[in-house]
Amino acid sequence: MAESYYVIVIIALCTVSVVTSANTDTAVTNLTISQITSSSATVTWTLPSSTENITKFDLIYGAENLVLDDVSTTSYALSGLDHWMTYEVCVNSIMNDDSVVESCTSFSTHYTPVNKLVFAAVGCASFLIIMLVISVVIESRFQTKIEEERNTKKKSTSKVGVM
């Protein structure tokens, strides 16, 4: 008897209204990015004049979507960022009726070149290895030459003694 397989697809529809206008009563203001490095930054904002109808804030940056349940929060340290990238940061007010009031800004992380000390250390190590190889080669050639001279002297000494 053949087995039957069924695929059941359930689609849930939900509506989220996004208000992008500058609604100063419920939108965070003065959204600022500071202390920017190659892998981190700090986002700060001023709370809306009224947080009465706000249930939480969504902090969105890169692939991150964080929920800040404490509506008195006014800053967050971003970490794990990639260097030399531009990020858009949004602090969204989530209202009692599930509507969203957006406040967004963007910033770029700094570029971090290869650490100069690491580069210098690798250069010095490479130089020392090259010098070591050269000295071994030179020493082996001198050893060969010294042995050849000894053998030549032995041959000449043995010829003198034979006469």
Side-chain angles (χ1 to χ4, degrees):
M1 178 162 203
E3 291 184 36
S4 297
Y5 293 96
Y6 298 96
V7 176
I8 299 172
V9 178
I10 299 172
I11 300 174
L13 300 174
C14 62
T15 304
V16 175
S17 58
V18 177
V19 179
T20 56
S21 63
N23 184 347
T24 56
D25 289 342
T26 55
V28 299
T29 56
N30 301 320
L31 188 58
T32 306
I33 309 296
S34 62
Q35 300 173 355
I36 301 170
T37 69
S38 61
S39 62
S40 65
T42 300
V43 57
T44 57
W45 60 89
T46 303
L47 292 174
S49 57
S50 172
T51 58
E52 183 177 310
N53 293 322
I54 299 174
T55 58
K56 61 187 173 187
F57 292 117
D58 277 348
L59 175 63
I60 301 169
Y61 67 98
E64 299 294 323
N65 186 357
L66 305 171
V67 176
L68 306 174
D69 290 323
D70 182 2
V71 294
S72 65
T73 302
T74 59
S75 68
Y76 190 84
L78 309 176
S79 61
L81 306 175
D82 292 327
H83 73 97
W84 213 16
M85 293 292 293
T86 299
Y87 288 90
E88 181 177 48
V89 176
C90 295
V91 178
N92 299 333
S93 302
I94 310 301
M95 310 307 293
N96 288 338
D97 63 358
D98 289 331
S99 63
V100 178
V101 180
E102 268 187 339
S103 294
C104 297
T105 190
S106 62
F107 72 99
S108 296
T109 52
H110 297 165
Y111 175 71
T112 302
V114 175
N115 187 321
K116 293 176 185 175
L117 293 177
V118 171
F119 184 71
V122 169
C124 288
S126 298
F127 175 76
L128 291 175
I129 290 170
I130 290 170
M131 293 308 294
L132 179 65
V133 169
I134 289 173
S135 66
V136 167
V137 169
I138 290 173
E139 182 182 1
S140 70
R141 286 191 179 177
F142 276 127
Q143 287 294 346
T144 305
K145 188 168 184 163
I146 290 171
E147 288 178 22
E148 287 175 359
E149 287 179 10
R150 281 184 189 160
N151 289 337
T152 305
K153 283 183 182 179
K154 283 183 184 178
K155 287 181 184 177
S156 64
T157 309
S158 61
K159 286 184 182 178
V160 171
V162 173
M163 290 181 154

